[in-house]
Amino acid sequence: MSDELKSLIGAELRREVPEPVKAFAAQLAQRAGGATVAVLFYGSNLRDARLDGVLDFYIVLDRVGAWPGSRLAALANGVLPPNVGYREEELDGKALRAKYALISLSQFRRGVAHDALDTTLWARFSQPCCVAWVRSEVDLDAAVEVVSQAVTTAARWAAELGPESGEVLAFWRELFARTYEAELRVERGGRGNDLVARDAERYVRLLPAAWSAAGIGFTVGALATVAPGISQSERKLARRQWALRRRLGKFLNFARLLKAAFTFDGAVDYVVWKVERHSGIRPEVTEWQRRHPVLAAPGLYWRLRRLGVLR
């Protein structure tokens, strides 16, 4: 891993975040006691510096079983990470909401490797993120290492799947177009282009450093074009490898959706918030419904039909 890339990623992860975000992340971290390594903050609220809507966190743990919940949930997270959840907190008189994903540090490391069959983890963390809470400086260094590897993996695939020569941003646009194709997504097809355009300077800085970290040489041509040193045989092999990941991608996403039906922590509260946000109606729910979201789903559905929220 190159020092240049780790320096760039380290500065990004160490950026200041709003105090309410840090406080929320700290409360989430406490749920696993001393087993929480770090809480990473990412997504649209980070990009737009907003606190409304839903904050997005990844909670990195020593072991997934340290998070409170059923043994079934821990087992499912061990087989197909991450488990996801939703939580609401009132901090300094302001209601904040967050979605979080749970993953162990060892799972994180495997998920960002170039040979990982699942593309979602390294694709997500090649995009901007920062540390909202961390257990120690040693753990912060580990987070920098893992996120740097995610960027390195993304840059290697960009070189292998992208044009033989082109502007730097063309490699990122091609990469995100392919990763979005490999996932179940509700966003429109040009979403990857928007991500790149929003942080264009960042992606321009990262690509050469990440190629160097991956051991990929490159030349710089006229009009700031770059050409990675990838042979035709390497490109052909990469395209065959990517075809496998593309076929597996939607299946893995669908499997996670099925798993979430049984393991989503706070699922009912998340549904209630979405209903209130879009309709102005907040249906009342019981503790039993919160504990048994799958069994409660039919009753909640018919109540929302009667209220006119669903048609």
Side-chain angles (χ1 to χ4, degrees):
M1 189 66 61
S2 75
D3 290 339
E4 181 186 4
L5 180 62
K6 287 201 291 186
S7 177
L8 290 171
I9 296 302
E12 191 168 277
L13 292 190
R14 289 178 171 89
R15 285 179 300 169
E16 279 296 313
V17 298
E19 286 299 326
V21 174
K22 290 196 286 188
F24 204 156
Q27 289 195 12
L28 288 169
Q30 290 170 6
R31 296 189 70 192
T36 304
V37 176
V39 180
L40 302 180
F41 178 42
Y42 70 100
S44 59
N45 284 67
L46 171 63
R47 292 193 299 269
D48 299 332
R50 294 166 52 187
L51 297 178
D52 61 337
V54 177
L55 308 175
D56 289 299
F57 293 116
Y58 246 81
I59 301 173
V60 185
L61 306 164
D62 287 325
R63 59 191 188 283
V64 293
W67 190 260
S70 69
R71 295 185 66 180
L72 174 62
L75 177 62
N77 205 13
V79 174
L80 186 63
N83 280 5
V84 294
Y86 171 80
R87 195 167 179 87
E88 298 178 354
E89 295 286 352
E90 187 166 315
L91 298 167
D92 295 329
K94 182 176 179 60
L96 295 180
R97 301 166 180 85
K99 287 187 298 182
Y100 60 84
L102 305 171
I103 196 167
S104 73
L105 182 57
S106 60
Q107 288 173 324
F108 205 162
R109 287 188 172 121
R110 291 194 297 271
V112 298
H114 183 261
D115 61 358
L117 292 178
D118 189 353
T119 66
T120 53
L121 200 61
W122 60 255
R124 175 168 289 125
F125 284 99
S126 65
Q127 299 169 40
C129 68
C130 62
V131 171
W133 182 92
V134 68
R135 185 172 57 186
S136 69
E137 279 297 318
V138 172
D139 295 310
L140 180 55
D141 290 341
V144 171
E145 188 79 26
V146 175
V147 175
S148 297
Q149 182 58 56
V151 175
T152 301
T153 294
R156 175 178 285 278
W157 280 114
E160 293 169 335
L161 301 175
E164 293 186 17
S165 175
E167 61 169 335
V168 169
L169 296 184
F171 290 90
W172 290 110
R173 287 193 291 265
E174 176 68 18
L175 175 73
F176 288 134
R178 288 178 178 267
T179 58
Y180 270 66
E181 284 179 356
E183 298 179 32
L184 290 173
R185 289 284 191 169
V186 297
E187 297 98 330
R188 56 191 174 81
R191 175 66 170 160
N193 293 343
D194 295 342
L195 292 174
V196 173
R198 182 184 290 270
D199 290 291
E201 291 184 8
R202 171 189 185 267
Y203 289 108
V204 169
R205 287 195 307 270
L206 284 183
L207 192 65
W211 277 351
S212 295
I216 297 174
F218 60 94
T219 58
V220 180
L223 302 176
T225 60
V226 291
I230 302 294
S231 68
Q232 289 301 319
S233 60
E234 289 173 320
R235 289 182 184 278
K236 289 179 181 178
L237 175 60
R239 280 166 169 74
R240 290 197 298 271
Q241 293 172 333
W242 187 261
L244 172 62
R245 286 157 176 78
R246 187 174 183 274
R247 288 194 295 271
L248 283 175
K250 287 184 171 58
F251 168 78
L252 290 172
N253 277 205
F254 183 67
R256 287 194 183 95
L257 287 175
L258 290 179
K259 185 190 68 166
F262 299 94
T263 63
F264 193 125
D265 184 19
V268 172
D269 288 319
Y270 181 63
V271 170
V272 167
W273 172 77
K274 292 285 283 186
V275 168
E276 183 179 22
R277 182 178 176 88
H278 292 288
S279 70
I281 297 172
R282 183 177 180 85
E284 294 298 322
V285 296
T286 67
E287 285 304 314
W288 182 88
Q289 289 172 317
R290 288 189 172 93
R291 291 195 305 270
H292 306 283
V294 176
L295 296 176
L300 183 58
Y301 170 79
W302 286 111
R303 189 188 307 173
L304 294 177
R305 284 290 300 265
R306 291 196 303 271
L307 290 172
V309 175
L310 298 178
R311 294 179 175 81

